[in-house]
Amino acid sequence: MRREAPGCSHTRLTSRCRVESVPGAASSPMLVRWFLLLLGTLSTQADLFQFDSITNVSSYYFNYIYCNIWEGECQPSQDDASQQGLARDLQTKLHGQHLAQSVVLKAIQGFIIDPESNKPLTLSFHGWSGTGKNFVARIIADNLYRDGVKSECVRLFIAPFHFPHARLVDTYKGQLREAIRDMVLRCPQTLFIFDEAEKLHPGLIDAIKPYMDHYDNVDGVSYRRAIFLFLSNIGGATINDVALDFWHSGQNREDIGMEDLEHRLRTETMESQGGFAQSELMSGHLIDFYVPFLPLEYRHVKLCARDAYIARGLETDEATLDEVAKAMLYVPKEERLFSAQGCKSVPQRINFFLP
């Protein structure tokens, strides 16, 4: 019987377990449970939201022994196929986002192949809803980890869902710090995704700021191999204005460069009303890249519709794709150039065009 260790086999770009057959492996679930009990591992549930964490010491030794002794030897590895997969997925599955394709690919690949990174990688995704921010986060997870966003090495936080009450921010701080520490002990190459990040309380961001800073370790734990993604709608109007200006001037949207947007996004983020502006994450210049997601045009919506049909194993034609795209709302009112919802509702809308 062959099993894969949860802390190391999940990572596709950064680590690989050399799994070997183990005598008596059929009883491994019972032995693992016994081992966890022996270490005094407790599964904890927070009162306000679940983190399903195990104690830091138990987590460290469990993964070390499980991976290095029980399952074989964990070795750092560069998986070229997975890196090519990330490039391919960004190129073929993400539509109308040449800047995000380029910046995300270079940032992730550069971070992965640099074992001496002096800080965790921190990216901030900006743009209208439906332009692909969550989609790119999933693409990253799918290519970093075997189980994608379901991996034990990935944690998604939705600001208004996980941290809804400002009066409980001190409680949230402790829970969030514990969750991040436990996950990094379990899987050093961890991916943290903060959706609707503009709604995070500034105290929450400051509570985890040390984990994104240039420290060798924090309380004996290194966070330098972690990746933090912040997804927000901040700057969406600014990005759209730049795209519209390029269209009015007769320039291709593909001519829009990072120099046209990144500085403006940083400035707008610092001046916003959310937790970002008031946090030390901004004043400490800890965000490595501000990644703009451009508004999607009619042609991009058609491509999203095509992908939605393919994902469901359905055949379609250009006329049907046109009908789906025409059913979307486009703005501004005069030009009707950009899809107001991006591609967000396309998978649901194709139901109306099925035979």
Side-chain angles (χ1 to χ4, degrees):
M1 178 177 178
R2 296 169 63 87
R3 294 176 57 84
E4 294 178 329
C8 50
S9 62
H10 286 258
T11 306
R12 302 168 82 182
L13 291 184
T14 57
S15 65
R16 177 180 68 238
C17 269
R18 189 172 68 227
V19 183
E20 301 174 351
S21 299
V22 181
S27 61
S28 61
M30 180 65 71
L31 290 174
V32 170
R33 286 196 293 270
W34 173 85
F35 178 66
L36 289 174
L37 289 173
L38 182 64
L39 289 176
T41 302
L42 298 175
S43 177
T44 60
Q45 292 185 343
D47 293 333
L48 301 171
F49 55 97
Q50 293 185 359
F51 280 129
D52 295 329
S53 61
I54 60 179
T55 61
N56 296 334
V57 175
S58 297
S59 176
Y60 176 84
Y61 284 107
F62 168 73
N63 283 287
Y64 179 85
I65 295 176
Y66 192 88
C67 190
N68 288 278
I69 298 178
W70 182 260
E71 291 295 354
E73 182 183 358
C74 283
Q75 300 175 339
S77 170
Q78 298 299 328
D79 191 336
D80 291 337
S82 293
Q83 295 191 51
Q84 293 170 7
L86 177 62
R88 181 182 61 250
D89 286 351
L90 288 171
Q91 184 66 38
T92 61
K93 297 180 180 180
L94 181 65
H95 305 303
Q97 303 298 352
H98 68 284
L99 292 176
Q101 288 169 344
S102 175
V103 175
V104 169
L105 179 62
K106 291 178 180 178
I108 295 293
Q109 287 187 336
F111 180 73
I112 292 300
I113 64 176
D114 178 15
E116 303 300 327
S117 174
N118 64 353
K119 68 179 290 295
L121 178 63
T122 304
L123 305 178
S124 188
F125 292 177
H126 298 263
W128 263 3
S129 177
T131 52
K133 300 186 299 293
N134 275 284
F135 186 56
V136 169
R138 290 199 302 273
I139 288 177
I140 293 172
D142 287 342
N143 284 278
L144 283 178
Y145 308 101
R146 182 195 63 199
D147 296 329
V149 293
K150 296 180 180 180
S151 169
E152 294 177 1
C153 300
V154 178
R155 175 70 70 172
L156 168 65
F157 299 102
I158 305 171
F161 177 76
H162 289 104
F163 318 107
H165 306 296
R167 60 186 173 82
L168 297 175
V169 66
D170 288 336
T171 303
Y172 296 148
K173 287 180 185 179
Q175 293 174 331
L176 185 56
R177 282 193 293 253
E178 181 182 355
I180 292 176
R181 178 181 172 87
D182 284 352
M183 286 197 65
V184 170
L185 283 170
R186 183 184 308 171
C187 178
Q189 183 72 71
T190 306
L191 175 64
F192 298 102
I193 305 169
F194 292 86
D195 197 10
E196 299 187 54
E198 71 275 10
K199 299 176 183 177
L200 287 169
H201 190 283
L204 273 177
I205 301 177
D206 287 344
I208 62 174
K209 177 255 184 185
Y211 304 147
M212 291 174 274
D213 213 327
H214 300 73
Y215 297 126
D216 290 336
N217 65 80
V218 178
D219 290 335
V221 179
S222 174
Y223 296 88
R224 288 187 168 186
R225 301 314 305 164
I227 300 174
F228 293 85
L229 304 181
F230 292 92
L231 285 52
S232 79
N233 294 330
I234 295 175
T238 295
I239 296 170
N240 295 355
D241 288 343
V242 170
L244 190 61
D245 288 343
F246 268 70
W247 184 79
H248 280 149
S249 64
Q251 300 179 76
N252 295 324
R253 66 185 277 132
E254 288 75 19
D255 293 331
I256 299 174
M258 287 293 287
E259 66 277 6
D260 298 306
L261 284 168
E262 188 172 28
H263 177 70
R264 296 175 66 170
L265 286 178
R266 185 181 186 280
T267 300
E268 187 164 342
T269 301
M270 291 190 69
E271 296 174 351
S272 66
Q273 298 300 313
F276 266 128
Q278 306 169 48
S279 73
E280 295 180 6
L281 189 65
M282 298 299 301
S283 61
H285 305 283
L286 297 180
I287 294 177
D288 297 302
F289 295 98
Y290 295 82
V291 185
F293 284 72
L294 302 174
L296 298 181
E297 300 175 7
Y298 182 92
R299 56 191 168 119
H300 306 127
V301 175
K302 281 185 64 176
L303 292 172
C304 291
R306 181 204 64 189
D307 292 348
Y309 274 100
I310 292 174
R312 295 174 62 172
L314 302 173
E315 294 185 0
T316 187
D317 53 38
E318 285 296 315
T320 302
L321 296 180
D322 277 319
E323 289 299 319
V324 175
K326 288 176 182 177
M328 304 293 286
L329 174 66
Y330 292 87
V331 294
K333 184 177 180 180
E334 295 78 14
E335 293 87 352
R336 290 177 52 82
L337 182 62
F338 305 132
S339 171
Q341 297 174 284
C343 282
K344 186 167 250 184
S345 64
V346 167
Q348 289 73 37
R349 284 185 177 268
I350 68 174
N351 293 325
F352 293 98
F353 300 92
L354 297 179

